[in-house]
Amino acid sequence: MSNIDQYAVFGHPINHSKSPRIHTLFAEQTKQTLDYTSQDVPAELFTSAIAEFFKQGGKGLNCTVPLKELAWDRADTLSERAQFSKAVNTLVLQEDGTLLGDNTDGLGLVADLTVNHGISLNNKRILILGAGGASRGIIGPLMEKSPVGIVIANRTVEKAIALSHEFSQLGEIAGCAYEALKGFSFDLILNATSASLTGELPPLTDNLLAENGCCYDLAYGNQPTAFVKWGVAQGAIKSLDGLGMLVEQAAEAFFVWRGVRPETKEIIKLLNSERA
Ligand code: NDP
């Protein structure tokens, strides 16, 4: 067991993750002493990997694709935002040895869209592609910014419809299949599928993006993702990937773990320069 506080991100695949780099930069900036590593953990090994990590002195964990719903199940207690989203991206070891589950994804996305990129959500028509853990985490915080409404499209349509029902108390939220989007247009299209991780694009038709609309891929990479390229081809005024969201959600997780809030702007700038 190490003397240094241990943190990690679990996911599958995980080799693309920039979380270790980001948390190491946060630790340097805020003068905190900690280790943050990544571990490739497929869903079937989640229970044993998590038990081992905390047994070895782990203090906190991030969970990414495809583990967020499993992490929600595993948490002993939940923050309000995690309870509502039924997805957990941050686990915190409590003093009594129990695990608190939190979700910082929605806050991270909204901060990146509105603060870093000046994209207003008020009165906008939003389309979310995908109905997995990431979608669960972002619907609540997006609805707080008073859009006209949200449509969720998913390959497995039942999941999109179930998600829309679960969140219906927040306002206008509908779930549908990709084919049902024909004839509709949106001011903001968010790709919350994991298609970009394998270089794929959800089955999108032309004319889905309204004039002056924006596209945002929650995934990120050193090169523009297939969805970011699609947004550019559709004439988006901004077609962005999720690097800024990643840094913002990580900053919130760091704050939950360490009680210190890192500055994000310089770190986003640095990571952007490294992939240029
Ligand atoms: P999940 O595994 O929980 O869900 C994946 C979703 O993607 C499902 O809706 C699935 O559809 C859909 N999907 C997968 N492949 C395809 C495809 N080829 N075409 C269409 N739909 C597809 O993943 P998460 O929700 O946790 O993560 C989704 C994405 O968001 C990932 O790329 C992840 O990296 C990114 N993310 C980024 C964050 C950031 O900070 N930037 C934070 C959180 C997530 P179906 O239900 O039919 O299987």
Side-chain angles (χ1 to χ4, degrees):
M1 205 185 285
S2 163
N3 287 332
I4 298 175
D5 288 352
Q6 301 291 320
Y7 297 87
V9 58
F10 284 5
H12 182 72
I14 200 66
N15 53 354
H16 70 287
S17 178
K18 290 191 194 291
S19 291
R21 171 103 170 100
I22 292 169
H23 282 279
T24 303
L25 289 167
F26 286 165
E28 281 166 20
Q29 185 200 74
T30 59
K31 307 204 170 6
Q32 301 276 305
T33 306
L34 57 87
D35 266 350
Y36 187 110
T37 53
S38 64
Q39 274 188 48
D40 196 312
V41 178
E44 60 276 17
L45 296 181
F46 184 61
T47 308
S48 55
I50 211 171
E52 186 60 23
F53 177 74
F54 286 105
K55 195 172 133 199
Q56 291 303 321
K59 297 278 187 228
L61 201 58
N62 283 138
C63 297
T64 185
V65 186
L67 306 174
K68 288 179 188 180
E69 287 150 274
L70 291 174
W72 189 88
D73 283 337
R74 171 60 189 85
D76 299 300
T77 51
L78 294 160
S79 69
E80 203 178 320
R81 55 193 176 191
Q83 189 151 22
F84 193 63
S85 65
K86 292 201 177 143
V88 156
N89 76 335
T90 303
L91 285 163
V92 191
L93 182 68
Q94 305 292 94
E95 272 177 17
D96 63 1
T98 59
L99 292 179
L100 168 74
D102 198 356
N103 192 317
T104 64
D105 280 343
L107 184 144
L109 173 67
V110 169
D112 196 40
L113 284 168
T114 61
V115 180
N116 299 340
H117 294 290
I119 298 172
S120 164
L121 304 176
N122 184 34
N123 230 11
K124 297 289 163 61
R125 293 159 297 168
I126 300 178
L127 170 62
I128 298 179
L129 312 173
S135 301
R136 289 185 160 280
I138 64 177
I139 294 170
L142 287 169
M143 286 304 285
E144 278 174 23
K145 295 291 171 188
S146 309
V148 174
I150 294 180
V151 173
I152 306 158
N154 197 43
R155 191 171 59 176
T156 312
V157 63
E158 297 78 19
K159 278 171 70 181
I161 292 169
L163 205 52
S164 71
H165 289 162
E166 247 181 78
F167 286 85
S168 61
Q169 72 205 77
L170 300 181
E172 282 295 312
I173 304 179
C176 66
Y178 284 98
E179 308 86 70
L181 294 172
K182 211 161 181 239
F184 293 92
S185 67
F186 300 88
D187 303 300
L188 175 63
I189 305 181
L190 298 163
N191 182 21
T193 73
S194 48
S196 295
L197 301 182
T198 47
E200 292 169 89
L201 191 63
L204 300 169
T205 50
D206 286 342
N207 305 320
L208 275 179
L209 188 67
E211 206 176 327
N212 297 323
C214 295
C215 288
Y216 191 105
D217 196 343
L218 273 64
Y220 55 88
N222 284 333
Q223 303 299 323
T225 66
F227 179 75
V228 167
K229 288 185 195 158
W230 180 85
V232 172
Q234 298 296 312
I237 53 168
K238 291 186 180 179
S239 191
L240 306 160
D241 75 8
L243 184 67
M245 171 183 176
L246 180 78
V247 175
E248 296 294 346
Q249 63 77 29
E252 183 68 12
F254 193 93
F255 175 69
V256 170
W257 289 328
R258 309 295 299 184
V260 188
R261 193 178 293 281
E263 280 293 323
T264 53
K265 274 212 166 58
E266 285 307 309
I267 288 176
I268 294 173
K269 210 167 138 189
L270 174 69
L271 294 177
N272 267 324
S273 73
E274 285 176 356
R275 62 180 180 168

